[in-house]
């Protein structure tokens, strides 16, 4: 039986001063309590030694933490036949037991085991010394690019196996973590199951599956598979590590939530009187890269789940806190449930963060969210010519693949984030062709390990990658940062044009130029809720342009202004900034998603940058740090609905498309209306339509000239209503008073809110100072005479108070 070591004390010293001061035995004054898993910053905050870096302008006040030597100390009871296991140490650490050095750690993404045989049974001092990272990588050769040079040169992050975002990103603070970030346990030595892989080979008739087992030492092991109802459906046994095969009659297949259920089988492994249980799903996954016959010279890039090509609708995931060892399970459940609630079927774990905690993958299994899993390399060249570094990476990759490979949600292993792509653009800017430092990892080491450990899960060398060059629209996946950053598109082999950060160059309407096969990053910044800013910022900084507010924006340029100019115009106050950026983000993502989905099957995926935040800031996230969904989350949920009606406009003409991601054909009717913003309709047309399963079709084409006082609407019982604005938001002739009416009805702890409008109301918003409130719908339009019923609940329970909610619309700004 394992014993977890969770109660610790920590203390800091100048580098080298811990041992003479008795740190190995926990001697002296100044020790403060800490938890494991945990984080040194959080322990310091709770002890009152550090002002919370998330609050006010405190981030810079925490810079001293990274330069100290940190000791973690605990008293532990050990036996002569025990092992000491650390699932995660962050990062350069020496481990001492009873004053004796057991060994060292140098990789945040690996576990570390120490044999305690021969140790005297009893209570011992367990002490870990975490060294400042700067001292451990000082003087080593550092590969750099012409771009990002300063940031990488300061942190030297690429020389250590540690969460890369910790030194700051264009959405995250500079807070490199230190400490025990995963569980510590003492367990008896003996034969144990170190890892297993559950692979589905075929699903026709009885499913053919295999289980690869890795044992710490040879022993007899029995394996049983229980169906979701707990009934045994297959058994096998073997001696030692290796593979067993099973046939599963009448398999219950695991699907994404939009296509079916998520039945999870229980795999029970019995060894040495101990039982280990894993939840697994029966499903097949592949990537179709066959030529696209309707767009010559291009190839598909689409995930095929259980033989069905799917459109991946999702978002990129960044760590849910800068303090990655102290993220509550409830945070994971809430954020991932809301990803599924936004009609997503895929989450990409971005390569600058962490291989996520076990609960992340368990929740994705449960919710039907496929996982695109990056290896932890991002936006930098890496030293693949250093043998010690290479072997460290080899051990890391082997362990993480072994840990995660059994999950039903796992859809793709990806070598890195943007490394090939940035090298391509750096070469484009300088007219050179430079080998990428780190390429041996993505082209040789990682695929070699996967061939041995997980050959069934697709592998992709980087993101973006594929086609004749990285970011090419002809094949593979693309990161579209034309919108927002003004980076040129790559229609074929070469980038066309240069960077253009003008309002015209970054406008979200440029998504319509993107003919990519799969868009794995695209996004627009939006501010968090004004209440989130107020909870974390000093009152005096709640002013547009204040230093405190600017410190919440980690992007180096004021690109938001260029985005807002053609949509909402420029804000005059901070509250305006919040509303203007939120609406611009929502309108832009709506436009982009609808474009990509209309292109199905030529485009087969749209993953938004980004789903969540690691701290309270202005970023590209859909949900802010405090859990408040931005306008863009609601716009995304509507645009990601399995059945989508969307307008495409070109000149004075408009088209209506129906995108059907379901596995059933769609036969129904729709009403198209040119409505006046003052109420009433200029004309109405009803039409029947048919759209095959898993397809996108145009069902209507008509005139749609510029009009500041008109809007094109579509309604049907088959899909949610949608609209096409015929002028920019800032130019719309909206009634200042749309006659918005709000009625409240108590429904247990929840509140049902009915909203209606006499005239067209744009961007109707319900908001509250309570970040735990959850709205069944929000940030929507109401045409004259329409009404919408919104159910309001509270995350974690509790009654929703009527007076805690305010209702507004954009019209008051007209």
């Amino acid at each position: 039986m394992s014993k977890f070591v969770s109660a610790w004390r920590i203390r800091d010293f100048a580098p080298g001063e811990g041992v003479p001061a008795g740190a190995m035995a926990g001697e002296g004054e100044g020790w403060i309590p800490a938890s494991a898993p945990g984080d040194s910053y959080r322990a310091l905050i709770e002890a009152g030694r550090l002002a919370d870096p998330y609050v006010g302008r405190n981030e810079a006040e925490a810079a001293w933490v990274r330069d100290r030597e940190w000791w973690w100390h605990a008293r532990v009871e050990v036996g002569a036949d025990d092992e000491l296991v650390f699932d995660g140490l962050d990062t350069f650490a020496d481990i001492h037991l009873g004053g004796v050095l057991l060994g060292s750690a140098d990789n945040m993404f690996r576990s570390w085991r120490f044999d305690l045989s021969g140790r005297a049974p009893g209570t011992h001092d367990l002490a870990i010394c975490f060294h400042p990272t700067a001292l451990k990588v000082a003087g080593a050769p550092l590969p750099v690019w012409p771009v990002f040079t300063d940031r990488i040169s300061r942190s030297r992050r690429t020389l250590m196996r540690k969460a890369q975002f910790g030194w700051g990103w264009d959405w995250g603070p500079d807070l490199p973590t230190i400490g025990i970030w995963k569980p510590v346990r003492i367990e008896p030595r003996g034969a144990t199951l170190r890892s297993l892989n559950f692979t589905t080979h075929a699903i026709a008739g009885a499913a053919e599956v295999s289980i690869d087992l890795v044992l710490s030492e040879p022993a007899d092991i029995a394996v049983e598979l229980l169906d979701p109802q707990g009934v045994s459906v297959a058994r096998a046994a073997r001696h030692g590590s290796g593979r067993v095969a099973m046939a599963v009659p009448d398999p219950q297949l695991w699907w994404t939530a939009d296509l079916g259920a998520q039945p999870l089988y229980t795999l029970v492994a019995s060894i040495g009187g101990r039982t280990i249980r894993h939840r697994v799903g029966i499903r097949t996954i592949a990537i179709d890269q066959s030529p696209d016959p309707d767009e010559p010279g291009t190839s598909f890039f689409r995930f095929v789940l259980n033989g069905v090509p799917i459109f991946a609708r999702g978002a990129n995931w960044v760590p849910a806190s800068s303090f990655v060892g102290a993220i509550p399970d409830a945070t994971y459940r809430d954020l991932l449930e809301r990803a599924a609630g936004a009609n997503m079927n895929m989450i990409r774990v971005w390569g600058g963060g962490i291989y996520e905690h076990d609960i992340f993958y368990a929740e994705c299994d449960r919710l039907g969210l496929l996982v695109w899993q990056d290896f932890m390399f991002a936006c930098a060249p890496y030293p693949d010519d250093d043998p010690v570094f290479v072997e460290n990476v080899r051990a890391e990759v082997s362990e993480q693949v072994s840990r995660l490979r059994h999950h039903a949600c796992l859809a793709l292993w990806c070598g890195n984030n943007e490394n090939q792509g940035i090298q391509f653009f750096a070469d484009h800017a300088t007219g050179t062709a430079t080998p990428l430092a780190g390429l041996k990892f993505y082209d040789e080491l990682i695929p070699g390990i996967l061939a041995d450990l997980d050959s069934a899960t697709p592998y992709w060398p980087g993101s973006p990658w594929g086609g004749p060059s990285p970011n090419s629209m002809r094949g593979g996946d693309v990161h579209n940062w034309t919108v927002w950053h003004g980076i040129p598109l790559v229609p074929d082999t070469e980038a066309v044009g240069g960077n253009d950060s003008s309002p015209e160059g970054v406008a979200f309407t440029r998504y319509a130029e993107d003919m990519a096969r799969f868009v794995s990053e695209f996004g627009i910044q939006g501010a968090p809720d004004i209440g989130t800013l107020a909870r974390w910022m000093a009152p005096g900084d709640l002013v547009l342009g204040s230093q405190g507010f600017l410190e919440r924006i980690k992007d180096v340029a004021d690109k938001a202004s260029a985005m807002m100019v053609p949509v909402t115009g420029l804000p005059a106050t901070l509250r305006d900034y919040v509303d203007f950026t939120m609406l611009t983000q929502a309108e832009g993502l709506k436009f982009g998603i609808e474009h990509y989905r209309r292109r199905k099957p030529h485009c087969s995926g749209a993953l938004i940058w980004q789903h969540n935040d690691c701290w309270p800031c202005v970023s590209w996230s859909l949900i802010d740090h405090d859990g408040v969904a931005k306008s863009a989350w609601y716009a995304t949920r509507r645009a990601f609905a399995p059945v989508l009606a969307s307008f495409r406009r070109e000149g004075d003409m408009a088209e209506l498309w129906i995108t059907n991601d379901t596995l059933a054909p769609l036969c129904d009717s729709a009403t198209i209306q040119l409505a006046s913003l003052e109420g009433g309709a200029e004309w109405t047309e009803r039409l029947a339509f048919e759209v095959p399963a898993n397809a996108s079709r145009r069902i209507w084409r008509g005139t749609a000239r510029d009009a500041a006082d008109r809007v094109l609407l579509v309604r049907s019982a088959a899909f949610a209503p949608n609209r096409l604005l015929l002028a920019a938001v800032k130019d719309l002739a909206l009634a200042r008073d749309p006659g918005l009416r709000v009625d409240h009805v108590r429904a247990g702890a929840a509140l049902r809110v009915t909203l209606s409008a006499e005239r067209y109301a744009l961007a109707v918003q319900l908001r509250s100072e309570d970040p735990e409130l959850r709205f069944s719908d929000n940030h929507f339009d109401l045409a004259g005479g329409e009404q919408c019923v919104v159910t309001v609940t509270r995350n974690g329970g509790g009654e929703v108070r009527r007076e805690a909610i305010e209702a507004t619309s954009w019209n008051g700004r007209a």
Side-chain angles (χ1 to χ4, degrees), residues 404-424:
L404 301 177
R405 58 187 178 163
H406 70 278
H407 282 283
C409 63
L410 185 62
L412 180 78
W413 295 106
C414 179
N416 69 83
N417 174 76
E418 295 189 343
N419 293 350
Q420 292 97 330
I422 295 176
Q423 184 70 63
F424 168 80

Side-chain angles (χ1 to χ4, degrees), residues 239-264:
H239 183 79
S241 301
R243 172 174 289 190
V244 297
M246 291 179 171
V248 182
D250 303 318
Q252 301 176 50
L253 300 184
W254 185 94
W255 293 93
T256 51
D258 54 326
L259 298 180
Q262 297 75 51
L264 292 174

Side-chain angles (χ1 to χ4, degrees), residues 273-534:
R274 283 174 287 180
T275 298
I276 300 100
R277 295 172 180 265
H278 284 278
R279 303 280 274 170
V280 296
I282 297 176
R283 59 96 180 105
T284 58
I285 193 76
I287 295 178
D288 175 17
Q289 296 184 68
S290 62
D292 183 344
D294 296 325
E295 295 192 352
T298 71
S299 58
F300 292 117
F301 185 86
R302 55 184 177 181
F303 287 87
V304 181
L305 176 64
N306 297 329
V308 176
I310 68 170
F311 190 100
R313 309 184 306 270
N316 288 257
W317 174 277
V318 303
S321 172
S322 289
F323 311 125
V324 293
I327 305 172
D329 286 357
T331 298
Y332 280 106
R333 292 191 182 98
D334 181 52
L335 286 172
L336 289 171
E337 285 174 357
R338 293 164 84 187
N343 293 308
M344 296 183 190
N345 59 20
M346 179 174 281
I347 289 286
R348 175 182 174 229
V349 179
W350 170 74
I354 60 173
Y355 304 96
E356 278 295 346
H357 295 277
D358 290 345
I359 188 172
F360 176 92
Y361 304 96
E363 286 298 292
C364 289
D365 286 344
R366 178 179 70 88
L367 294 166
L369 288 166
L370 291 170
V371 172
W372 170 313
Q373 176 67 56
D374 281 6
F375 289 97
M376 294 300 116
F377 302 89
C379 299
Y382 287 84
D384 58 6
D385 57 349
D386 177 349
V388 174
F389 191 88
V390 169
E391 288 310 304
N392 202 353
V393 170
R394 186 187 307 279
E396 166 195 323
V397 170
S398 297
E399 178 171 334
Q400 294 299 334
V401 171
S402 296
R403 178 174 77 97
L404 301 177
R405 58 187 178 163
H406 70 278
H407 282 283
C409 63
L410 185 62
L412 180 78
W413 295 106
C414 179
N416 69 83
N417 174 76
E418 295 189 343
N419 293 350
Q420 292 97 330
I422 295 176
Q423 184 70 63
F424 168 80
F425 281 108
D427 288 346
H428 173 75
T430 58
T432 60
T434 310
L436 171 63
L439 200 60
K440 291 179 183 177
F441 294 134
Y442 323 130
D443 289 356
E444 299 174 23
L445 186 148
I446 293 173
I449 292 171
L450 288 170
D452 291 335
L453 297 181
D454 189 15
S455 59
T457 303
Y459 172 66
W460 199 240
S463 180
W465 194 82
S469 60
N471 234 41
S472 170
M473 298 180 191
R474 285 177 50 192
D477 71 310
V478 160
H479 290 189
N480 185 322
W481 289 115
T482 300
V483 177
W484 185 261
H485 287 304
I487 293 172
L489 292 165
V490 187
D492 191 349
T493 303
E494 299 297 329
V496 175
N499 286 9
D500 182 358
S501 58
S502 69
E504 296 77 19
V506 302
F508 67 67
T509 51
R510 295 202 65 191
Y511 284 134
E513 302 171 35
D514 191 349
M515 299 293 116
R517 312 292 104 190
F518 190 109
V519 186
S520 48
E521 281 191 22
F522 69 107
I524 298 169
Q525 265 191 9
D529 181 72
I530 190 68
T532 298
L533 292 175

